[in-house]
């Protein structure tokens, strides 16, 4: 059992995009606020804080979930991936990010960090989804700008690229449009 | 937006949970997946003094097949239940209903027992527990009691769980091999709350329909094998008796219409599923002969 008083500053350690990070926070601090305010990782956006909009979606131990519905203290010892971890070390965009840019699939960009993290998990688990499954990928996300059409087109494009590569080199396992952080 | 201050306890052993619930009673809140409780805390609709987080308690993470069914611990997520390989075979109704609960990012943390404890009138899982004659194990320092779904849900978001108790596990009986199931739902947003949902189970001699349409608790109706016209009459009776409080009379009328059409379709689908299962069984028997 671990017990922390309400005003106690609790040490929380996470692996954030491959780097060990530590911070102190009260037990009531949301993981989304801990990432943004304590660790300075502001790529993760915060919209509704009730789980509805999906902007704050991150991966915890590889699984996509809402960082606004998790306490920072609950994430102690976990491995966290956020949108900052998607681009390659040299700063070049991952395939899905690139497709979004090429297809003008983002406007204000507020919803995008969450959408990318959901797609990262889904495409990792199932690199070649059936076409009719693709709209379902975005079911947990709200976007006020794009009308979703271009977002879906970008995901479809990424999946088609993976499929094309696989057809050209069938021996290699399908590589995911979003590489691992 | 932040929750009001609280003391946080990470539970490692179920006994700690019982002891702390006895100590703090209604001032404490159990935190499971947090997918309903965290929004409530963020909006400060509740200000518990102590938060008892059971999500890392190993003993509550068991999903165990028993002789008659499936035993699901308090910390087992909806995603884990949905990915249990034998689910579609043993409890097809649950396999059909779970994808309607939120979306994958919600189900990856939300627990089955948490949804039962939350007892929201628009929630799919309480409806399924009632349709399947499931049971809930409530635990406290006073001991354990097992309670049927029909007695557990008392009113909207009100259950038989007392302030010093917690749900230790849910028991879901396996469905019989000669049953067919269907789950149909209409929601404004695919991942949102159901306006109307119908869970149907068709056995060789009886039909069962559980209806979610804004009533406080899950409603289960049993019928003999009736012709379609008679079933429609029965559904009309359910639809007319609903005490609805929608924003407008049009919404009320729409919901009543949904109950009839979804209910009828669910019953038909369940019967077709039952007949398909029987046909496959007959083929297997033929093959063995
Ligand atoms: C965007 C979004 C969409 C959603 N859509 C749906 C939907 O379509 N259908 C649906 O049914 N639900 C939906 N939900 C709710 C979701 O299914 C929750 O996971 C579920 O209602 C609660 O489970 P939990 O484990 O998250 O519980 P928590 O949020 O941790 O707890 C909920 C309540 O139950 C109590 N509690 C939890 N576990 C126990 C226990 N073992 N013993 C005693 N009390 C306990 C808590 O104290 C609290 O009062 C949605 C949630 C979100 C954020
Ligand atoms: S901010 Fe977390 S879902 Fe909207
Ligand atoms: S691009 Fe503006 S909200 Fe999605």
């Amino acid at each position: 059992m671990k017990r922390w008083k309400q005003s106690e500053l609790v040490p929380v350690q996470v692996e954030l995009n491959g780097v060990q990070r530590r911070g102190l926070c009260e037990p009531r601090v949301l993981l989304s606020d801990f990432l943004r305010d304590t660790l300075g990782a502001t790529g993760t956006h915060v919209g509704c804080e009730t789980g509805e909009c999906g902007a704050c979606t991150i991966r915890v131990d590889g699984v996509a979930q809402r960082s606004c519905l998790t306490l920072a203290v609950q994430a102690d010892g976990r491995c966290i991936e956020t949108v900052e971890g998607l681009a390659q070390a040299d700063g070049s965009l991952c395939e899905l990010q690139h497709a979004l840019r090429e297809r003008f699939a983002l406007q204000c960009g507020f919803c995008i960090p969450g959408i990318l993290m959901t797609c990262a998990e889904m495409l990792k688990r199932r690199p070649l989804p059936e076409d009719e499954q693709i709209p379902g990928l975005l079911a947990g996300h709200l976007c006020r700008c794009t009308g979703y059409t271009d977002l879906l087109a970008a995901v479809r494009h990424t999946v088609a690229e993976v499929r094309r590569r696989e057809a050209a080199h069938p021996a290699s396992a399908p590589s995911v449009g979003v590489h691992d952080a | 937006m932040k929750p009001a201050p609280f003391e946080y306890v990470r539970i490692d052993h179920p006994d700690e949970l019982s002891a702390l619930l006895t100590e703090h009673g209604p001032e404490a809140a159990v935190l499971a997946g947090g997918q309903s409780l965290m929004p409530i805390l963020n909006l400060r609709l509740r200000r518990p003094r102590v938060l008892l987080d059971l999500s890392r308690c190993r003993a509550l993470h068991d999903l165990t097949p028993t002789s008659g069914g499936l035993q699901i611990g308090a910390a087992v997520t909806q995603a884990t239940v949905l990915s249990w390989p034998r689910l579609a075979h043993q409890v097809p109704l649950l396999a059909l209903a779970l994808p309607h609960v939120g979306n994958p990012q919600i189900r990856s943390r939300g627990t089955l027992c948490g949804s039962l404890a939350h007892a929201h009138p628009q929630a799919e899982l309480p409806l399924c527990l009632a349709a399947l004659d499931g049971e809930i194990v409530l635990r406290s320092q006073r001991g354990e009691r097992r309670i049927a779904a029909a007695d557990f849900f008392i009113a909207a978001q009100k259950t038989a769980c007392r302030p010093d108790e917690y749900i230790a596990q849910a028991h879901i009986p396996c469905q019989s091999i000669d049953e067919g199931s269907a789950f149909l739902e209409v929601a404004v947003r695919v991942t949102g709350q159901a306006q109307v949902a119908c869970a149907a189970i068709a056995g060789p001699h009886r039909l069962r329909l559980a209806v979610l349409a804004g009533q406080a608790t899950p409603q289960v109706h049993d019928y003999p094998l009736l012709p379609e016209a008679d079933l429609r009459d029965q559904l009309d009776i359910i639809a007319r008796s609903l005490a609805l409080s929608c924003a407008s009379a049009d919404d009320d009328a729409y919901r009543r219409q949904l109950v009839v059409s979804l209910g009828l379709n669910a019953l038909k689908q369940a019967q077709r599923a039952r007949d398909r299962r029987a046909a496959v069984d007959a083929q297997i028997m033929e093959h063995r002969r």
Side-chain angles (χ1 to χ4, degrees), chain A residues 32 45-57 66-69 110 140, chain B residues 106:
Chain A
S32 45
H45 289 172
V46 171
C48 62
E49 294 188 322
T50 56
E52 291 289 339
C53 76
C56 69
T57 305
R66 305 291 201 232
S67 59
C68 73
L69 301 186
F110 194 86
Chain B
I106 302 298

Side-chain angles (χ1 to χ4, degrees), chain A residues 50-52 66 69, chain B residues 29-39 46 54 74 78 100-103 106 109-111 113-115 117-118 122-125 161 165-168 185 191-194:
Chain A
T50 56
E52 291 289 339
R66 305 291 201 232
L69 301 186
Chain B
V30 175
L31 176 65
Q35 303 302 290
S36 292
L37 184 58
M38 287 308 300
R46 272 178 76 183
L54 59 71
Q78 295 151 6
H100 291 276
V101 180
N103 53 57
I106 302 298
R109 285 191 65 81
T111 63
C113 290
S115 176
H118 192 53
Q122 303 295 96
E124 293 86 355
L125 296 173
C161 187
E165 286 178 319
Y166 69 96
I167 299 181
E185 172 171 319
T191 63
Q193 279 175 356

Side-chain angles (χ1 to χ4, degrees), chain A residues 1-7 26-30 33 37 48-53 57 63-66 68-71 73-78 118 121-122 136-137 139-142, chain B residues 1-13 16 20 23-24 31-36 38-39 42-44 49-51 53 55-56 103-106 108-109 189-192:
Chain A
M1 182 166 85
K2 282 221 165 81
R3 200 166 176 161
W4 286 296
K5 290 197 211 59
Q6 55 177 50
S7 55
E26 283 181 35
R28 63 168 162 157
V29 171
L30 305 178
D33 289 338
D37 303 341
C48 62
E49 294 188 322
T50 56
E52 291 289 339
C53 76
T57 305
V63 181
Q65 50 187 260
R66 305 291 201 232
C68 73
L69 301 186
T70 303
L71 296 168
V73 289
Q74 293 183 291
D76 187 39
R78 304 285 194 204
T118 289
E121 188 207 349
M122 300 290 186
L137 289 183
H141 292 271
L142 290 178
Chain B
M1 198 161 39
K2 265 177 205 39
F6 49 73
E7 182 179 342
Y8 170 89
V9 185
R10 194 173 100 191
I11 301 292
D12 290 324
H13 192 278
E16 300 164 356
L20 287 165
E23 187 185 333
H24 296 284
L31 176 65
Q35 303 302 290
S36 292
M38 287 308 300
N42 287 350
L43 296 168
R44 301 206 180 189
R49 230 163 44 79
V50 192
L51 213 59
D53 178 6
S55 66
R56 286 209 192 179
N103 53 57
Q105 298 87 266
I106 302 298
S108 67
R109 285 191 65 81
R189 199 175 152 203
V190 188
T191 63

